[in-house]
Each structure stands twice: as structure tokens, then as C-alpha cells.
Amino acid sequence: MTSTTSVAVSAPSLTPTGPTLVNPLNRLPSLTGLRWIAAMLVFGFHIGTMRIVAEPDYRHIIDWVFTLGLSGVQFFFILSGFVLVWSARPGDTKRAFWRRRIAKIFPNHVVTWAAVIGLMLYWADPINLKAALANLFLLQAWLPLDGYFYSINNVSWSISCEMFFYLCLPFVLPLLRRTPPWVLYGVVIGMPLLILAMWPGQQLVPEENRWWFTQIFPIVRSFEFWIGVAAAELMLRGKWRGPNLLLSTGVFVLIWVACMEWIRAELWTTVLALGYILVITSAAAADTQGRWSPLRSRPMRWLGEVSFAFYLVHVFLIKAILRFAGHPGGFTGWRGPVVAILMLLASLVAAALLFRFVETPMMRVLGPRRRRSGPGGTPPGLIQQQRRRLPDSGPTGGPETTSGLVGGRPALS
């Protein structure tokens, strides 16, 4: 949920497996647009589960469209793994990587955590101090206790998982660069199957902890993250084979409808992972190859940029509005859909403010300083690289590898 997909360019480097090529002048704005779609899936799911729309006919439509909306978090996890590998900086230190991730996540998290605590104090709601502190330090996803992993700002459980992913990735990257392509494909295919195996595997867990084990536990949820990690490495090496964006979108829509109508619930996560990784890789390929993509329009890029803030504010904001309005059971008739739209707009406004006045400035303040630039603001290692235009990507959807040309990996902004 937190990865930055509009990427700058870093200096070229050799990997242990040999030359890796990616066009250093290309960015991935389409993945920024995809973040908004994932956020909207989660928003729609919560509109349904929080019963904002009370009219049965309207609610039936929302429930049908957003039945799988919770899988938007799965989308974020896969996308996060993809982007962080794609944008890994050559010669980056673990400390610098972790500092950038903390600078990205914690300011928004702390502000929304404080806002929820303030509302709870205003309403004189009981506060579990231990759960609140676990939530503040993003440890709640590790605690299979009632009132802990969904404590305070409910949705922050997912960034508790993300922190675990960020902790692991710098240790995995050196091994990833030496991993043969067939093993990476094995990860892309095998991880969804491992997710499926968690359904019978949960029988080994006490019944009261099974939801936590399959839906919250960071180690289990990391399976989705590693799908994106492996796919990104394959694309960077020019080894990824997949359909274009239009075809991938069609496949995803078919998978979505099939899951809603025919596929059993325990298979949803596995099947959707396939659809998500196809869309993510094809959107990235569209950007690197300069192909048309509606996901990189200016509105979609802006919505994607504020999507992390939107994700963090929407649930507690909806709860607060319903509580202040005295309608905890939702709104009848045409008012339900209208209120849902107003909730969307209110969440967007709050997200824009959070992004503008908290997330953006705090990333500059807390993040590590950028390396000294060369003439004209260009990093020294990039000046020579920009003088030679790398070849266009091949028709397979991945960049071609050319002897003697070593592509840089874009850097996280």
C-alpha cells in the first residue's frame, strides 16, 4: 500500500548474474494509477460491510461488485514487492532503505493513529493501552489477540505487515540477483499455491486464531509480496513473458467475475494473485515500452499518489461521520448511494490534505539525503548513461538484454 511507483533513475550497476537492462529514462506511472484502483476496491468493500447503503436493492449491487474488494490489500502487497525490487538502488544500504520506508509510512500512520485516539477520547470509548501501543509501533499484526490486530485505525494492520516485508527485503536482494530465472518463475507460480495450502494448514491453528493466521499473519501475507518481488526481477532481466495490458485487463475481469459467480472462496486469493500479477507486469511493460496506458493519465497519477493516505483515513472517517450523523445502521433509499459518494469525496479531501501537509514534507525531512548531483542536477553516474539511448523493449513484454549495456534500476523517490 505504500510503495512509490513514479520513479527516478539511478546509476547503472552489474548484478551477480550478469548484465541487467531497463530503460533508465522510463518511469512507471501506470503502477501509480493501479494503486488507486486497489484503494477503490478496498473502499467499496468497506462501504458494503459498514452498511452505509441500507436499501436492499442498492446494497445487493454494491455487495456483488465489491465482494472481492478486500483483495485490494493483496494487490497492494504484490505491487509493493514489484516496485521495491524494480526501484532498488545500486549500492544502497539497509539503513538508507529502511529510513526511506519509515519516512514514507510512519508520519501518516502516527497522524491517523492520533486522530482515532482523539475521537475515542471524545466519545469516552475504552482504550486498551497495550493494543494502542502495539498499533502505534506497527506490531499489531503479530498478535493473534482480540482487540489487537484490528485496533485503533483498523486498516493499519496491513502496514504492520509491510514493515515486516521491508525488514526482510534488503537481506533477500543479494540472493535474488543470483537466483536463476526458473526459480523466480517457480516463486511466481508456487507462492499462490502456497497461499492455497494455508486453507488446510489453518487446521493446525486454534480455531479462534484461524482468521488471524490466514488473513493477518505477516509471514503468511508475505507470500503475496514475494510474487511481486520475483516478477520484477524477471522483468528487469528481460525474462518475463506475459500478455499486453489490454489482454491482461481482460483476463483479470474474467477472473474477477468467475470468482464472484463460480469459484469457491478458498481459491479466490490464489486465482486473483494470477490476475493481479498479469495486470501489474503488463502495466509496467506499457510504460517501459512507451505504449498507451489509461492508468498514467494525470488524474490517475494524482489519485495513486494520495492512495496511501486515502487508505489510512477512509475507515475511521466513515465511522466518525456515521456516528456524528446518528446513522450507524446506514441510510435508506436513494440517500445511501449519495452518502457513499460523499464519503468517497470526504476521504479524498482528507487524503489530499494528509498527502500535502504530512506525507510529502515529512518524507523530505525524515528521508536520507540524496547523493550529490552532477551538472544540471543529474547524478554523476547517470550523465554518461543518458548519452546512449537504450534499445526499446522487445515484443514479449520485458526489456531485451544487450551485451555491453548495463541498465540502471530506477530509484525510489
Side-chain angles (χ1 to χ4, degrees):
M1 182 58 221
T2 61
S3 51
T4 302
T5 47
S6 293
V7 290
V9 182
S10 63
S13 69
L14 285 170
T15 66
T17 55
T20 299
L21 179 68
V22 64
N23 192 329
L25 304 181
N26 280 326
R27 299 160 69 85
L28 301 180
S30 291
L31 299 194
T32 303
L34 278 177
R35 288 169 57 193
W36 172 247
I37 293 177
M40 273 301 299
L41 292 179
V42 178
F43 176 82
F45 177 80
H46 287 144
I47 288 292
T49 57
M50 297 170 75
R51 301 297 181 185
I52 292 173
V53 179
E55 186 69 30
D57 291 340
Y58 295 147
R59 191 172 67 238
H60 175 74
I61 295 173
I62 292 173
D63 289 344
W64 187 83
V65 173
F66 292 104
T67 296
L68 308 174
L70 191 60
S71 70
V73 178
Q74 177 187 24
F75 196 170
F76 282 128
F77 287 165
I78 296 174
L79 183 60
S80 179
F82 184 95
V83 171
L84 290 178
V85 169
W86 182 276
S87 58
R89 296 179 174 184
D92 200 12
T93 65
K94 296 180 179 68
R95 179 180 295 180
F97 172 81
W98 292 328
R99 185 172 173 180
R100 285 194 303 275
R101 294 294 88 205
I102 290 172
K104 172 71 174 177
I105 284 179
F106 262 91
N108 280 0
H109 166 62
V110 171
V111 169
T112 52
W113 179 91
V116 176
I117 291 291
L119 288 170
M120 294 178 73
L121 292 173
Y122 175 81
W123 283 314
D125 292 339
I127 298 176
N128 182 331
L129 182 59
K130 292 181 180 179
L133 290 175
N135 187 289
L136 176 61
F137 293 103
L138 294 176
L139 300 173
Q140 71 271 36
W142 295 94
L143 304 172
L145 304 171
D146 288 340
Y148 275 76
F149 52 81
Y150 284 152
S151 61
I152 315 302
N153 189 13
N154 309 66
V155 298
S156 61
W157 71 267
S158 65
I159 55 175
S160 175
C161 292
E162 289 269 12
M163 288 301 294
F164 170 66
F165 308 160
Y166 300 158
L167 177 65
C168 295
L169 186 60
F171 295 102
V172 173
L173 275 177
L175 299 176
L176 185 73
R177 304 309 188 204
R178 296 192 293 268
T179 302
W182 67 268
V183 175
L184 296 173
Y185 270 111
V187 171
V188 174
I189 297 170
M191 283 299 172
L193 298 177
L194 191 56
I195 294 169
L196 180 61
M198 293 300 102
W199 283 90
Q202 68 180 324
Q203 301 301 319
L204 302 175
V205 178
E207 186 173 357
E208 64 271 18
N209 294 333
R210 288 175 185 173
W211 173 265
W212 166 83
F213 178 73
T214 59
Q215 304 298 320
I216 307 294
F217 188 32
I219 292 177
V220 172
R221 295 313 300 255
S222 73
F223 299 161
E224 295 149 344
F225 178 79
W226 300 122
I227 295 171
V229 165
E233 181 65 18
L234 285 166
M235 281 201 72
L236 284 167
R237 298 185 194 181
K239 300 296 184 180
W240 179 261
R241 302 293 182 266
N244 61 29
L245 181 57
L246 181 62
L247 183 56
S248 294
T249 302
V251 171
F252 171 74
V253 171
L254 289 176
I255 289 175
W256 187 272
V257 174
C259 285
M260 290 191 297
E261 295 293 336
W262 305 295
I263 297 177
R264 295 168 56 185
E266 56 265 35
L267 299 174
W268 285 353
T269 308
T270 296
V271 177
L272 285 169
L274 171 63
Y276 285 144
I277 197 61
L278 288 179
V279 170
I280 290 168
T281 52
S282 62
D287 286 344
T288 59
Q289 297 169 11
R291 296 179 181 177
W292 176 81
S293 168
L295 297 168
R296 61 172 174 259
S297 66
R298 181 174 295 180
M300 287 299 293
R301 292 201 309 271
W302 182 83
L303 290 168
E305 291 292 346
V306 303
S307 62
F308 174 46
F310 177 87
Y311 176 78
L312 285 182
V313 303
H314 79 279
V315 168
F316 84 79
L317 186 62
I318 291 172
K319 287 181 177 180
I321 292 174
L322 290 176
R323 195 162 177 178
F324 279 119
H327 283 271
F331 296 82
T332 58
W334 57 268
R335 292 179 297 174
V338 171
V339 170
I341 294 172
L342 292 176
M343 296 289 191
L344 173 62
L345 296 176
S347 299
L348 260 179
V349 170
L353 293 173
L354 194 63
F355 176 76
R356 172 66 180 84
F357 295 106
V358 177
E359 182 177 334
T360 302
M362 292 308 293
M363 285 183 67
R364 289 196 295 264
V365 171
L366 299 178
R369 292 183 179 180
R370 295 182 181 273
R371 294 177 181 176
R372 187 173 60 86
S373 298
T378 304
L382 183 60
I383 295 174
Q384 184 176 359
Q385 187 181 11
Q386 288 183 331
R387 292 175 180 166
R388 16 177 219 181
R389 181 79 180 190
L390 299 183
D392 293 334
S393 300
T396 60
E400 297 172 347
T401 301
T402 305
S403 177
L405 292 179
V406 183
R409 296 172 182 265
L412 283 172
S413 61

